[in-house]
């Protein structure tokens, strides 16, 4: 899938560098304002956007995503050699790569890291169920033997499956040592996470393409500063306090554009917002009530409240945007302008007893909060009692792991290269979406080999998702961020990255 974006500035202002060949290491510092404090730097445990944004500078994975969101080598030396039956993957590893502690990267580190990933990560646990063995093949290759075909294997190895030195692998990480272009120097909670250039970094080859290709640590230091208040991020960007400000309110677009000190950036179809429902405990274990939630909600009003202007969003029931290979209307149901009367009838038929629905959201993503306010109004109009709980993002990501604590939480996701890597499809992702028909539909996808077969299988999965109602897709959004006018070489990506970026003098 090709992820499109529009740079809403003069191209010359954002792409000031003339290419990596001309880039030189700098003593400059890039100060990045983020939406808040990361709950951890362990991306295996908590693969949220804020964690992945920072972690990708420290840690690397075997594969990563190029501009088409296809998985391509990063720490792997090449694409895997796959047996004819699709059950054995031999993955060659790059040589000459070092960790930040000076140790050499090899197959032992990969086996130890992926073993931990399969034990603690939601997608890793899903992979573990179909892995027969994971072994070293000499120092520079690993072999993965599967019990059955697994179409999204490389996609799942392209995100939170970070590779650590085998000696540092533990149930709870105490040292954050990777192979990335930047090393962790200091983390002061609620103040900053300080990364410094790794002088012995071994970059992959190739032209930069999304997260793939050559990586150069031009800035001597990248400092991530938690700034939960969106308006403070805007003011800091305009004043020059920050070189980059993440997740800005759309209302700030014109002001940043007119400032002369910074440029706004729009990412088309940066992701999609959803209300995820608890299928393990509480009233929404009742499928009819989850479908009533779908019927009650008005996606157009929620997206308009969240983004103010249709330049910044689109309302689309498909789980992938128009233009994507995976875009389909198959199975779409109970998605429209909100029908309180029809929803009320479903509530009555389902025997809803008035138990409050705990709707959890955060103001650190302001659009989550605004979606929550409108959702509350529509749900109450249908007859639900709603307890809107507004917490910080770190609390939300912690609390959603406990099924006793919530009924709906609001989140957003990107559009992954493989549709079965959507978080909600994973049995263990908060919400705990488990159903026989989902399992059967996903199993058919895993066996698919051609793109046509995969698309047909994906249409069946989307149909099942609408019927089981584990979530309500609200709509697609175009994210707004800002970068200082004096910063060169910044290229927009879903998880903003700052290698290949030249800081101001």
């Amino acid at each position: 899938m090709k992820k499109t974006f529009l740079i809403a500035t003069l191209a010359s202002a954002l792409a000031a560098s003339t290419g990596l060949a001309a880039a030189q290491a700098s003593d400059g510092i890039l100060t990045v304002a983020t939406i808040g404090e990361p709950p951890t730097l362990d991306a295996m445990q908590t693969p949220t956007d804020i964690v992945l944004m920072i972690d990708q500078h420290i840690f690397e994975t075997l594969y990563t995503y190029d501009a088409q969101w296809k998985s391509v080598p990063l720490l792997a030396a090449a694409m895997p050699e796959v047996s004819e039956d699709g059950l054995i993957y031999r993955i060659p590893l790059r040589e000459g790569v070092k960790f930040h502690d000076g140790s050499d990267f090899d197959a032992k580190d990969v086996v130890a890291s992926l073993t931990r990933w399969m034990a603690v990560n939601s997608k890793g646990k899903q992979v573990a169920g179909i892995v027969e063995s994971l072994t070293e093949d000499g120092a520079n290759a690993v072999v993965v033997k599967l019990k059955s075909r697994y179409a999204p294997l490389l996609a799942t190895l392209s995100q939170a499956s970070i590779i650590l030195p085998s000696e540092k692998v533990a149930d709870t990480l105490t040292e954050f040592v990777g192979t990335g272009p930047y090393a962790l120097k200091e983390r002061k909670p609620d103040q900053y996470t300080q990364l410094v250039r790794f002088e012995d970094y071994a970059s992959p080859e190739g032209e930069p393409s999304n997260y793939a290709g050559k990586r150069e640590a031009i800035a001597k230091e990248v400092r991530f500063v938690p700034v939960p208040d969106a308006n403070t991020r805007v003011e800091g960007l305009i004043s020059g306090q920050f070189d980059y400000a993440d997740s800005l309110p759309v209302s700030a677009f014109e002001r940043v554009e007119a400032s002369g000190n910074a440029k706004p950036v729009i990412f088309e179809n940066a992701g999609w917002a959803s209300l995820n429902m608890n299928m393990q405990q509480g009233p929404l274990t009742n499928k009819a009530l989850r479908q009533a939630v779908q019927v009650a909600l008005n996606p157009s009003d929620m997206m308009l409240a969240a983004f103010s202007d249709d330049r910044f969003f689109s309302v689309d029931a498909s789980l992938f945007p128009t233009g994507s290979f995976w875009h389909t209307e198959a199975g779409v149901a109970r998605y429209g302008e909100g029908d309180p009367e029809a929803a009320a009838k479903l509530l009555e038929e389902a025997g809803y007893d008035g138990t409050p629905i705990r709707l959890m959201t955060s103001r650190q993503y302001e659009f989550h909060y605004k979606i929550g306010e409108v959702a509350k109004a529509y749900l109450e109009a249908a007859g639900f009692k709603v307890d809107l709980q507004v917490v910080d993002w770190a609390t939300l990501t912690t609390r959603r792991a406990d099924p006793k604590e919530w009924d709906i939480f609001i989140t957003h996701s990107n559009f992954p290269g493989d549709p079965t890597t959507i978080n909600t499809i994973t049995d263990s992702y908060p919400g705990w979406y488990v159903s026989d028909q989902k399992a059967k539909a996903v199993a058919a996808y895993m066996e698919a080999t051609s793109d046509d077969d995969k698309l047909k299988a994906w249409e069946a999965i989307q149909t099942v998702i609408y019927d089981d109602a584990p979530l309500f897709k609200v709509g697609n959004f175009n994210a707004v961020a800002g970068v200082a006018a004096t910063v060169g070489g910044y290229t927009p990506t879903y998880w903003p990255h700052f290698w290949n970026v030249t800081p101001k003098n």
Side-chain angles (χ1 to χ4, degrees):
M1 177 183 72
K2 184 173 182 179
K3 182 178 177 183
T4 61
F5 61 82
L6 167 68
I7 303 178
T9 64
L10 294 174
S12 58
L14 281 181
S17 68
T18 59
L20 288 178
Q24 295 181 349
S26 163
D27 288 334
I29 297 172
L30 288 169
T31 303
V32 178
T34 68
I35 60 98
E37 176 69 16
T40 177
L41 292 181
D42 184 354
M44 289 191 194
Q45 290 276 15
T46 310
T48 57
D49 284 345
I50 182 62
V51 175
L52 291 170
M53 176 182 174
I54 297 172
D55 261 29
Q56 65 185 335
H57 298 80
I58 306 170
F59 300 103
E60 294 178 316
T61 49
L62 292 179
Y63 295 92
T64 192
Y65 299 117
D66 69 6
Q68 286 73 47
W69 286 82
K70 294 179 180 177
S71 295
V72 296
L74 181 53
L75 286 176
M79 298 301 285
E81 303 162 14
V82 184
S83 62
E84 288 188 11
D85 62 7
L87 299 180
I88 301 175
Y89 287 65
R90 183 183 183 275
I91 301 174
L93 306 177
R94 289 172 52 209
E95 300 181 39
V97 174
K98 289 187 176 294
F99 287 102
H100 300 151
D101 62 2
S103 62
D104 293 323
F105 160 76
D106 60 22
K108 183 178 181 181
D109 305 308
V110 174
V111 170
S113 298
L114 294 186
T115 299
R116 180 180 188 268
W117 172 70
M118 289 189 289
V120 305
N121 180 264
S122 59
K123 291 186 176 69
K125 290 176 181 178
Q126 189 173 11
V127 172
I130 54 93
V131 169
E132 180 177 309
S133 64
L134 169 63
T135 57
E136 301 170 36
D137 183 9
N140 300 309
V142 296
V143 174
V144 183
K145 292 185 179 180
L146 306 179
K147 299 173 185 175
S148 58
R149 287 183 179 178
Y150 190 72
L153 180 62
L154 294 191
T156 59
L157 291 176
S158 301
Q159 191 166 310
S161 53
I162 56 177
I163 306 302
L164 319 162
S166 58
E167 299 82 6
K168 309 295 185 185
V169 172
D171 291 341
T172 300
L173 295 184
T174 56
E175 297 182 68
F176 298 90
V177 177
T179 59
Y182 288 91
L184 176 65
K185 182 175 181 180
E186 185 177 25
R187 181 186 177 198
K188 287 193 173 183
D190 298 317
Q191 295 185 49
Y192 59 80
T193 300
Q194 181 187 18
L195 310 185
V196 295
R197 182 194 299 131
F198 178 39
E199 300 293 351
D200 292 327
Y201 178 64
S203 173
E205 298 297 322
E207 288 297 314
S209 174
N210 204 15
Y211 302 100
K214 187 174 181 180
R215 299 178 169 193
E216 185 173 1
I218 299 172
K220 183 177 181 180
E221 176 183 326
V222 181
R223 185 172 294 213
F224 295 91
V225 180
V227 185
D229 182 75
N231 291 324
T232 303
R233 293 197 295 277
V234 173
E235 296 300 328
L237 176 69
I238 291 173
S239 70
Q241 180 183 1
F242 307 130
D243 300 299
Y244 178 89
D246 194 29
S247 191
L248 301 184
V250 296
S251 59
F253 183 92
E254 282 79 9
R255 185 155 182 263
V256 172
E257 188 174 42
S259 71
N261 296 326
K263 303 292 181 181
V265 181
I266 292 180
F267 311 90
E268 288 185 357
N269 292 324
W272 54 289
S274 64
L275 282 74
N276 289 45
M277 296 184 250
N278 188 341
M279 294 179 59
Q280 189 172 104
Q281 290 190 31
L284 296 182
T285 56
N286 184 328
K287 178 177 172 178
L289 289 184
R290 297 196 303 274
Q291 291 185 343
V293 170
Q294 291 177 318
V295 172
L297 295 174
N298 183 312
S300 296
D301 282 358
M302 287 190 284
M303 293 300 284
L304 188 61
F307 296 100
S308 305
D309 187 319
D310 60 12
R311 288 182 299 170
F312 304 116
F313 72 88
S314 61
V315 173
D316 184 356
S318 172
L319 296 182
F320 282 84
T322 301
S324 163
F325 176 77
W326 305 108
H327 179 84
T328 176
E329 296 296 325
V332 170
R334 295 173 298 281
Y335 185 90
E337 296 307 305
D339 189 337
E341 291 183 3
K345 186 176 180 181
L346 285 175
L347 291 186
E348 183 178 356
E349 292 173 355
Y352 176 58
D353 63 2
T355 300
I357 302 299
R358 294 162 298 173
L359 173 58
M360 188 164 58
T361 190
S362 171
R363 292 203 81 146
Q364 284 170 269
Y365 290 108
E366 186 70 12
F367 70 98
H368 288 194
Y369 172 70
K370 291 179 177 178
I371 287 172
E373 284 191 310
V374 177
K376 179 177 186 290
Y378 271 93
L379 291 172
E380 288 178 339
F384 283 104
K385 291 184 179 179
V386 180
D387 175 13
L388 182 64
Q389 300 182 355
V390 183
V391 298
D392 63 81
W393 185 244
T395 298
L396 186 148
T397 58
T398 300
R399 190 180 292 177
R400 72 183 182 185
D402 185 347
K404 299 189 299 294
E405 291 291 322
W406 61 278
D407 299 301
I408 299 175
F409 74 87
I410 296 173
T411 189
H412 68 274
S413 307
N414 70 323
F415 296 103
D418 188 288
T420 58
T421 62
I422 290 174
N423 285 329
T424 301
I425 292 177
T426 305
D427 291 357
S428 57
Y429 183 73
W432 302 280
Y433 174 27
V434 178
S435 81
D436 290 340
Q437 63 173 348
K438 183 199 81 169
K440 186 179 296 185
V442 171
Y445 181 94
M446 297 306 168
E447 289 292 322
T449 53
S450 71
D451 284 345
D452 286 345
D453 287 344
K454 286 183 179 180
L455 180 57
K456 187 178 297 183
W458 166 243
E459 289 176 339
I461 293 173
Q462 180 169 286
T463 299
V464 167
I465 289 173
Y466 266 94
D467 183 62
D468 283 333
L471 57 77
F472 180 87
K473 180 190 174 180
V474 186
N476 306 331
F477 61 85
N478 303 333
V480 178
V483 64
T486 53
V487 168
Y490 174 74
T491 300
T493 49
Y494 178 78
W495 299 289
H497 68 265
F498 300 97
W499 58 82
N500 302 342
V501 175
T502 303
K504 62 178 179 283
N505 295 328

